[in-house]
Amino acid sequence: MTTGGRKLLAIVGALAMVGIAFPIRALIDDDGDNKGTNDRRTPVLLCAAELANVCDELEREANVKIVLDAVGATTSTLSTRTEAENGRPEYDGWLTFDRNADIVQEARRRNSLPAILEDPSSAIARTPLLLAIWKDRANVLDAHCGGDITVACIGGVAGTRWESIGGEAGWGDVKLGHADPEATGEGLAVIGQEAAQFVGRSRLSRDDFEEDAFLEWFSTVERAVELDADAFAHLLSFGAARYGVVTTTEATATRQLARASRDKREALRLLYPEPVASIDVVFAPFIGGDSDLADIVTGRDGTTALERAGFRVGTDPPEPRPDGAPPLPDRSNLPDAGTLEALLQTWRGVTE
Amino acid sequence: MNLRRPIAAVVAAATILGGIVLTSTVASAGGCITVDIASSPEKLVLLTELGDRFEQSDEARIDGQCVTIQVQRQSSGAAETLLEADWPKPSKNGPRPVIWSPSASTWAGVLDQRRADAGKEPYVPTPGKSFMLTPLVIAMPEPMAEALGYPDTPLGFADILALAQDPTGWAGKGHPEWGPFRFGKTNPHFSTSGLAETIAQYYAATGKTRDLTLEDLARPEVEAYSRAVESAVVHYGDTTLTFLNNLYRSDRRGDPFGYASAVAVEEKSVVDYNRGNPDGILDPGEKPRKPRVPLVAIYPKEGTLFSDNPLMILDAPWVSAREADAARAFSTFVTKEKNQRRVLEFGFRPGNPAVSIGAPITAANGLDPSQPQTTLEVPTPPVLAGVIDEWDQVRKKARVMLVIDVSGSMGDEADPRTGATKLDLAKRAAVAALDQFQPEDEVGLRVFSTDISEDAPTDYLDLVPIGLVSDNRAELERRIKSLIPTQGTPLYTVTQDSYQQLLDEFDATRINAVVILSDGRNEDDRNNDLEGLLKFLRGRNEGESTTPVRIFPIAYGGDADESTLKRIAEATNAAAYSAIDPATIINVFNAVVSNF
């Protein structure tokens, strides 16, 4: 081969290597393992599994990679993670609930661990907690509770026979369902609301959970509850045989009721126990993460997805508007993060 | 420059690409991704139809690749047992499933508990999507239910089970002509209805509706209660369809009350029965004819359990990511409204609340769409496993004559790879089946072939007299292993004489049965009167004063006289089994023994 030929071959070889290098680079950029601060990796959003439909929509509509995880598990992992991340973190932000983000921040401060989250955003969207009750059962509870079906009153009859409070013998026990407080933000909020409403205030302390009256009431309720991430869906599909009462969010209830048959919609009553408590969705950026992600999640893409999932972004309830949907309270009316952690500890004790 | 990362990336990329190529080669036989589904029997036809619809739809595309759905029938308990053992021998047991759809999610708890006990990883770490529902009910011929106060008086498991324990039977309810109360339930090792009924039975025994514990199961009074209920059982079996077919045949013969007084089945089965299609499957040319006496569903007042028909995508090593994606697409497809309306037409309650419960779940079909009003709590997985173990101790014991064909044709080669004969495979299956019996069961062994004995009767030979398995287990095994093929097939004579012997020695506290394995037709010039045999058998299985002896024939190999064996089974209100492919004989033997 001539010298010119060799040069030509070398150039072709070099071009070929460059050609191969680009796809490899692209693979590296896409695999999410690169922690370099300057790479142009797609932003990675760690997403509470309960918000999966919101995050799926973000992934479809915006340039975001989604990783779903049970919010309870994420809260626990982030609260105790000790290994340092060099450069850009694995995730750029966390779409979660305000109390879960607060629990992580507080736990890390308490354990003298460096912060890994920046201060979370203000609430991007909110949804009140509500009780879904079959109307025939609600009529019995109305009479039993003196016309005001409160969380405290329902808790007082949890697990007892419907017949004993004026219901029919064939209805069996008063069966309640809600999400698992250990695994989900919704479940944690539900037990927070229960405690706040039993005690009569949302500013609680650990001492409140040591009161005998509270412990007796709380253990009666929670031992009668079936933990079920899809409690409202099962309420609709199995009917009153499975649950008489389910505590869930307005977002979940309205989204699923919109698709339910008319007879099911008309057979259910939705009640917002006073004072109304809400779950607030926030975006918590990871320190060193891609700052563009906040604009996507808290901006129009994020709020549109949350609205479609039944959350309130402004003050108006979602469509179809539930009967008696109240305005949102100024604050969530849930106990603060530290108190919820203590309550979760109490919950573990009474249900084991 | 650090070369490690690029090199690693290239290697990783090559591995990933190689993996994709390899996976897609494996998963895309015929160009499509295949999703194998192990389905419980009662929804086989429906799932197959929905699979066909899915394949024609736009949803059956994963990254442009088509998806094929293949549904195989596996009773819930049999599939659980296979998954417990990592689904061995797909050539015999069917392909390893991507989706497991037992009748109820309960089985996932049993599976993962047993896998955990064996130190294995779970296969169903997340609950599957439940796409349709059907509650467990107690189905009764309408006049019998009315005799108990139906429809005005709420009835429960406790009422039914009390009647099952009443020695006066129906006479105590003013109907001596109906004889004793006979209860039909399936074997909880195999069947969801059987498992659900057994759970309900333990709840009834304890007076609880939730929080059943292992300690409850072990209480002497609970054991005594369960033992008494089981004593009223006709026989067990791997599927409720056997009961419904037998009930239907009795009804068509004008004897609607003679076979069973109540059967624990899914609500959907009552729809099928009252349509005149008791097994839910219409064979080509078969026209449904409504029964003379319809069944009505009793929704137990204590509560019941639902079969929730989950589609569980297995977290098993043989399930690829693409197969899982395709399975998810199918799971979503079946919950769509139009498919859920089809679900309802089949007699199931839709899992999607967008579709209201309506016809055929109506009062005209003996059903009440507003029921059930309450449920029993599904016990924890350890208690579920305990319920099944405990049932083994209290179930009605059996008295069984194993009758095995040792005619010359049993010496034909059945497995070209090993050279094993039909008799070799049958011997292995029979020995394996001995393990399914309890020590308190009584089992004997008889072989038959023309002139096998020098003394009369010459057409069969008793190798092991009927006796307790605890005493004769070793002898049975030794004798089975030593069997050799001989002459012809005197099927009718051995059937009639075995039946007569069990009848003569009838033990009312046990399930009295003959299991006949035969690979051929009757070859006996001295006795070729099939109609006479059937008349003889039927005459002793109709009416209220029967001493029921069941004959469970196994048609073995391609030359077996399947239709005759089926008629023999039907004449005794039992079920015939088919092992036309000798390789399946072990599974078939297990299914037969599930009746005891």
Side-chain angles (χ1 to χ4, degrees), chain A:
Chain A
M1 188 180 284
T2 64
T3 306
R6 280 199 201 105
K7 278 183 181 172
L8 184 62
L9 191 61
I11 291 166
V12 169
L15 284 171
M17 287 176 76
V18 170
I20 291 168
F22 274 109
I24 291 172
R25 179 77 242 175
L27 270 176
I28 293 167
D29 284 350
D30 285 345
D31 67 9
D33 289 338
N34 192 317
K35 305 292 196 300
T37 50
N38 296 323
D39 68 76
R40 280 168 289 168
R41 183 190 69 179
T42 303
V44 181
L45 178 65
L46 182 59
C47 185
E50 298 151 75
L51 299 171
N53 46 357
V54 174
C55 294
D56 286 348
E57 186 170 335
L58 274 173
E59 191 165 42
R60 280 196 307 272
E61 301 296 326
N63 185 30
V64 176
K65 184 178 173 190
I66 299 296
V67 176
L68 291 175
D69 195 28
V71 75
T74 309
T75 304
S76 173
T77 305
L78 296 182
S79 295
T80 53
R81 179 184 281 178
T82 52
E83 70 272 25
E85 290 196 287
N86 296 320
R88 187 170 160 181
E90 187 178 3
Y91 310 112
D92 297 295
W94 184 25
L95 188 65
T96 185
F97 306 104
D98 62 345
R99 293 299 190 264
N100 293 88
D102 290 347
I103 288 172
V104 171
Q105 303 278 57
E106 286 186 19
R108 295 190 70 84
R109 270 198 295 274
R110 199 166 55 237
N111 298 321
S112 304
L113 292 168
I116 57 172
L117 296 174
E118 293 177 18
D119 286 342
S121 68
S122 56
I124 313 168
R126 304 174 66 192
T127 187
L129 290 169
L130 57 75
L131 298 167
I133 313 176
W134 295 105
K135 282 182 179 167
D136 53 358
R137 269 69 168 172
N139 292 339
V140 172
L141 286 172
D142 258 337
H144 177 76
C145 301
D148 185 14
I149 304 176
T150 61
V151 169
C153 180
I154 290 176
V157 298
T160 62
R161 305 281 302 170
W162 278 105
E163 194 179 8
S164 70
I165 58 167
E168 293 182 15
W171 292 355
D173 296 339
V174 178
K175 296 198 182 85
L176 313 181
H178 67 60
D180 184 349
E182 193 106 62
T184 68
E186 180 178 314
L188 186 61
V190 168
I191 62 167
Q193 185 194 39
E194 284 175 1
Q197 299 212 343
F198 180 81
V199 176
R201 53 188 152 78
S202 61
R203 290 183 196 282
L204 303 174
S205 75
R206 289 160 195 264
D207 295 343
D208 291 316
F209 308 146
E210 288 169 10
E211 294 289 332
D212 289 344
F214 174 79
L215 278 174
E216 188 182 341
W217 178 86
F218 191 55
S219 64
T220 302
V221 180
E222 286 302 316
R223 281 181 187 168
V225 160
E226 184 176 341
L227 298 179
D228 182 351
D230 296 317
F232 189 77
H234 291 149
L235 175 87
L236 288 175
S237 55
F238 285 82
R242 178 78 174 263
Y243 298 118
V245 183
V246 160
T247 314
T248 187
T249 63
E250 180 187 75
T252 298
T254 52
R255 193 172 65 242
Q256 296 191 28
L257 276 176
R259 294 195 292 261
S261 62
R262 188 174 163 183
D263 58 330
K264 290 203 167 76
R265 287 200 305 271
E266 291 180 348
L268 269 181
R269 193 197 292 186
L270 303 183
L271 287 174
Y272 296 80
E274 291 287 342
V276 174
S278 75
I279 302 183
D280 298 351
V281 180
V282 298
F283 173 73
F286 278 82
I287 291 172
D290 185 338
S291 57
D292 291 347
L293 186 59
D295 296 336
I296 297 169
V297 177
T298 63
R300 195 167 156 202
D301 285 327
T303 54
T304 303
L306 282 158
E307 249 176 342
R308 284 199 184 129
F311 286 86
R312 299 195 198 186
V313 173
T315 54
D316 288 339
E319 294 296 338
R321 178 187 290 257
D323 287 341
L328 285 168
D330 294 337
R331 55 192 186 86
S332 76
N333 282 331
L334 293 175
D336 62 36
T339 311
L340 279 177
E341 269 194 289
L343 180 62
L344 188 59
Q345 197 65 38
T346 304
W347 178 85
R348 289 187 191 113
V350 300
T351 56
E352 69 185 4

Side-chain angles (χ1 to χ4, degrees), chain B residues 236 392 395-400 434-444 466-472 476 510-511 593 596:
Chain B
Y236 300 103
D392 280 330
R395 71 160 172 77
K396 192 174 187 178
K397 298 300 178 259
R399 188 163 200 279
V400 178
L434 291 177
D435 291 336
Q436 310 275 335
F437 288 100
Q438 294 290 310
E440 300 86 5
D441 288 321
E442 293 180 348
V443 179
I466 295 178
L468 286 170
V469 170
S470 56
D471 296 337
N472 66 9
L476 282 165
R510 294 173 180 272
I511 297 166
V593 178
F596 316 123

Side-chain angles (χ1 to χ4, degrees), chain B residues 142-203:
Chain B
E142 191 168 21
M144 286 180 148
E146 285 169 348
L148 298 182
Y150 170 89
D152 300 325
T153 308
L155 297 169
F157 284 112
D159 300 302
I160 302 295
L161 302 181
L163 186 55
Q165 298 175 75
D166 185 346
T168 66
W170 283 108
K173 300 291 174 188
H175 287 280
E177 73 278 14
W178 292 343
F181 181 87
R182 299 184 183 94
F183 190 40
K185 63 176 278 189
T186 38
N187 185 323
H189 282 284
F190 292 78
S191 157
T192 303
S193 303
L195 179 58
E197 192 284 332
T198 307
I199 292 167
Q201 189 172 301
Y202 278 104
Y203 273 125

